[in-house]
Amino acid sequence: MIRLDAVTLKQLRTLTAVAETASLTGGAARLGLTPPAIHSQIKNLEDVFGVPLLHRSPEAVPFTPTLAGAAVLEAARRIEVILSQCSYQVMAVSQGRTGQVTLGVVSTGRYFAPRLVKVLSTACPDIRIALRVGNREQVIDDLARHMVDLAVMGRPPRLPEVASVALGPHPHGIVAPPDHPLAGLAEVPVPELLAQTFLAREEGSGTRLLMSRYLDRLGEGQVVDLIEMDSNETIKQSVIAGLGIAFLSLHVVMDELRFGQLVQLAAPGLPIERHWFLVHPVDRMLSPSALRLQEEIVKLKGSYLPAVAGQTPT
């Protein structure tokens, strides 16, 4: 039985050199070896297959491949092509020109994440980008478990330890339907604001945390009426329907503000200006493809972020 594990690239390249130059001397000159070394490589290869691979003839062209030798030469050429392709692919991966990157995005960012992925896919067509969306706690957990390579979120977490870079502004405000009693006031009185029903995301949402801090500071710990909902879309539609008001990222409601379905309330200290950040865990080195995407995202300078009413586009 032929032991293919005994076949070496050196033997195959020796056979190719001898067949193409039609002599041991020519093969030796091409490979920088001695004729005895060439002869030894050919003999070892023939021993593996158990048949002659070259015709030995006293004619002017002494070394030509046998039928078996031609089959081995064809395989050798295919192997060289595959190795060449592999070399290109490895170089592309090492230079960040190809690969796969998982990008985590907090749920509030789903309103611009597809546009960002489209821009990145155009700039880096050979890099496959997987988008993973979740609330703040889920994204932090993904970072800790290395389920994502990069993540776009608001305030970077304390744990896991991450490296971060600011991407662009992230304004937050309180929105209401245009016919709400507090709509249009130059400044909403705090007691009247705190008397409203607030529609909010679940615990673990970054927006919910920011809202809680804002209302606690404004009302000095006063408890407000709050209805919890599972998505920003549900909250928006519920506010439009008049079920309450909501503290939201203004990037979430850009279209509704633009077309007059919602309005911002002029509450004290609003809008709150935060930033979007691109983060990655410091305990794991980024792959070349993730590094390239990181560079591309930073280079965009937040141009993919929505521009809301009253905000100058980035």
Side-chain angles (χ1 to χ4, degrees):
M1 185 171 178
I2 298 173
R3 291 187 57 228
L4 291 179
D5 60 334
V7 177
T8 68
L9 278 175
K10 190 171 185 179
Q11 291 169 349
L12 294 175
R13 285 168 176 164
T14 298
L15 178 66
T16 300
V18 172
E20 289 180 352
T21 60
S23 71
L24 290 180
T25 304
R30 174 180 292 187
L31 298 178
L33 299 173
T34 63
I38 293 290
H39 181 272
S40 175
Q41 292 292 336
I42 297 294
K43 182 178 183 306
N44 290 339
L45 188 59
E46 290 180 328
D47 288 344
V48 170
F49 286 101
V51 294
L53 300 178
L54 293 171
H55 289 295
R56 275 76 168 178
S57 168
E59 299 174 4
V61 181
F63 289 98
T64 57
T66 63
L67 287 176
V72 175
L73 284 168
E74 177 60 23
R77 293 188 182 102
R78 291 183 181 180
I79 289 171
E80 290 291 351
V81 170
I82 292 171
L83 285 175
S84 177
Q85 292 171 341
C86 176
S87 173
Y88 174 81
Q89 291 169 350
V90 169
M91 185 177 296
V93 169
S94 68
Q95 294 175 350
R97 290 186 284 110
T98 188
Q100 175 166 324
V101 177
T102 301
L103 178 65
V105 178
V106 292
S107 9
T108 306
R110 71 170 69 240
Y111 296 92
F112 62 79
R115 181 183 177 192
L116 172 59
V117 171
K118 172 62 177 176
V119 173
L120 293 175
S121 297
T122 300
C124 310
D126 294 325
I127 297 179
R128 182 182 175 188
I129 305 169
L131 189 62
R132 189 175 174 91
V133 180
N135 68 20
R136 178 179 171 82
E137 286 188 350
Q138 291 168 337
V139 172
I140 290 175
D141 184 59
D142 284 347
L143 287 166
R145 295 165 55 205
H146 298 140
M147 298 291 290
V148 296
D149 300 291
L150 301 165
V152 177
M153 62 192 308
R155 180 175 51 88
R158 294 180 181 177
L159 292 175
E161 186 179 355
V162 297
S164 65
V165 56
L167 299 177
H170 185 194
H172 293 73
I174 295 178
V175 295
D179 59 353
H180 193 278
L182 302 182
L185 296 182
E187 184 171 333
V188 174
V190 172
E192 293 186 34
L193 180 67
L194 298 178
Q196 302 300 311
T197 297
F198 281 82
L199 311 180
R201 288 287 302 278
E202 75 284 356
E203 292 284 353
S205 159
T207 305
R208 169 75 173 268
L209 179 61
L210 188 58
M211 180 197 76
S212 297
R213 290 178 175 174
Y214 170 73
L215 294 178
D216 283 346
R217 184 170 64 252
L218 203 62
E220 298 180 348
Q222 178 181 333
V223 177
V224 299
D225 186 17
L226 187 146
I227 299 177
E228 192 172 285
M229 296 185 171
D230 62 358
S231 73
N232 289 321
E233 283 303 316
T234 304
I235 292 174
K236 287 195 297 183
Q237 294 306 316
S238 298
V239 173
I240 291 171
L243 297 182
I245 63 176
F247 180 98
L248 289 172
S249 160
L250 297 183
H251 286 161
V252 169
V253 292
M254 57 175 183
D255 288 335
E256 290 78 8
L257 291 173
R258 183 178 297 119
F259 295 113
Q261 294 173 290
L262 293 173
V263 295
Q264 292 186 59
L265 297 186
L270 295 182
I272 295 176
E273 189 81 7
R274 290 292 185 266
H275 283 84
W276 288 107
F277 290 89
L278 181 66
V279 306
H280 67 87
V282 297
D283 64 347
R284 187 178 186 181
M285 184 178 296
L286 288 176
S287 67
S289 51
L291 277 171
R292 185 178 176 201
L293 278 196
Q294 181 187 49
E295 293 172 358
E296 289 292 334
I297 293 173
V298 172
K299 190 165 62 177
L300 290 170
K301 297 181 179 179
S303 58
Y304 47 86
L305 295 173
V308 298
Q311 177 189 359
T312 302
T314 55

